[in-house]
Amino acid sequence: DSGVTQTPKHLITATGQRVTLRCSPRSGDLSVYWYQQSLDQGLQFLIQYYNGEERAKGNILERFSAQQFPDLHSELNLSSLELGDSALYFCASSVDPAGGPGYNEQFFGPGTRLTVL
Amino acid sequence: DQQVKQNSPSLSVQEGRISILNCDYTNSMFDYFLWYKKYPAEGPTFLISISSIKDKNEDGRFTVFLNKSAKHLSLHIVPSQPGDSAVYFCAASARDNQGGKLIFGQGTELSVKP
């Protein structure tokens, strides 16, 4: 158990809908990262939040957004869903030295499997 | 452009022998490298890491070697055990103002046969 929790574990929805994925980082970790794993793309970085602020963006679609709350949990919002958004979505957390880019190891949650029908 | 590559999608090894998983990278700005292990239906589990100022890091049965001039790293597992059967991902990170995002390879599926 990495200490990172993600809910829900599975999500099945229809095209055009909007969903919210939730992540709670390990106790003490300030950084939260979101990754997408699809069959043909491997693990792709989406976005990072550090202590409530957006730190880095990857290949995240405009239809997707995220935020990190004062209690450090994070939510990833996916809207106008398309068939191609079906994937595993992982959240990871790391301590990160305050004020600096993170080099600490990232610990991953179990993931949310999203199926868009 | 794939910056981190694992060219072997699968590897089969006999129990007790050495498993060697390889990873190549193209971005010379990468200065921190990690290996993760992943079982089906679970998230990746951190195994071992290495900073670019080192060329070797060892943790129990796991050793990571880094060859910066060749932009190549490898993970050695000795001795291999059936429980090591999983997908192994190599990941890299660069020191910049963009935080600690990891760039992952495509993974190598290791099968350790009894």
Side-chain angles (χ1 to χ4, degrees):
Chain A
D1 183 359
S2 66
V4 178
T5 60
Q6 287 187 250
T7 56
K9 196 167 176 62
H10 301 277
L11 201 47
I12 301 175
T13 187
T15 55
Q17 295 299 304
R18 172 188 165 95
V19 297
T20 297
L21 313 183
R22 183 189 168 101
C23 167
S24 292
R26 293 186 320 160
S27 176
D29 285 359
L30 299 178
S31 256
V32 168
Y33 307 78
W34 287 96
Y35 293 86
Q36 179 192 57
Q37 185 183 26
S38 50
L39 277 173
D40 58 346
Q41 291 289 327
L43 276 154
Q44 301 281 321
F45 169 72
L46 293 178
I47 195 164
Q48 177 200 0
Y49 276 82
Y50 174 70
N51 205 18
E53 294 190 2
E54 183 183 302
R55 172 64 68 88
K57 254 184 176 177
N59 298 323
I60 187 166
L61 299 170
E62 284 192 14
R63 301 183 285 108
F64 296 1
S65 65
Q67 55 185 323
Q68 187 179 28
F69 294 87
D71 67 352
L72 300 178
H73 91 270
S74 177
E75 292 180 356
L76 179 67
N77 301 296
L78 315 177
S79 61
S80 303
L81 285 167
E82 302 175 358
L83 295 177
D85 298 328
S86 295
L88 268 168
Y89 290 85
F90 290 104
C91 167
S93 73
S94 68
V95 173
D96 282 2
Y103 289 90
N104 294 341
E105 295 78 11
Q106 294 179 21
F107 295 87
F108 283 76
T112 293
R113 179 173 293 282
L114 173 66
T115 303
V116 183
L117 301 175
Chain B
D1 176 32
Q2 201 167 342
Q3 299 183 66
V4 178
K5 296 180 185 178
Q6 293 175 257
N7 291 319
S8 299
S10 62
L11 175 67
S12 184
V13 170
Q14 207 65 30
E15 180 179 6
R17 308 294 290 269
I18 184 171
S19 294
I20 300 177
L21 297 100
N22 293 303
C23 178
D24 296 296
Y25 62 96
T26 57
N27 189 340
S28 57
M29 297 301 291
F30 288 147
D31 61 353
Y32 196 65
F33 304 89
L34 308 89
W35 284 93
Y36 284 84
K37 172 181 176 179
K38 187 180 182 302
Y39 294 117
E42 293 184 13
T45 301
F46 170 73
L47 269 179
I48 191 168
S49 61
I50 188 167
S51 163
S52 61
I53 62 173
K54 296 186 175 182
D55 54 19
K56 177 183 174 181
N57 188 26
E58 192 172 350
D59 183 1
R61 297 186 298 114
F62 302 93
T63 302
V64 56
F65 295 92
L66 175 62
N67 182 335
K68 286 194 298 288
S69 60
K71 293 191 176 69
H72 177 84
L73 64 155
S74 60
L75 174 68
H76 293 209
I77 306 173
V78 183
S80 301
Q81 300 173 354
D84 295 331
S85 297
V87 178
Y88 288 77
F89 290 95
C90 165
S93 181
R95 183 183 300 271
D96 58 20
N97 293 324
Q98 294 298 308
K101 68 180 179 184
L102 297 179
I103 308 298
F104 283 87
Q106 294 293 91
T108 296
E109 184 170 10
L110 173 65
S111 175
V112 181
K113 301 192 181 307

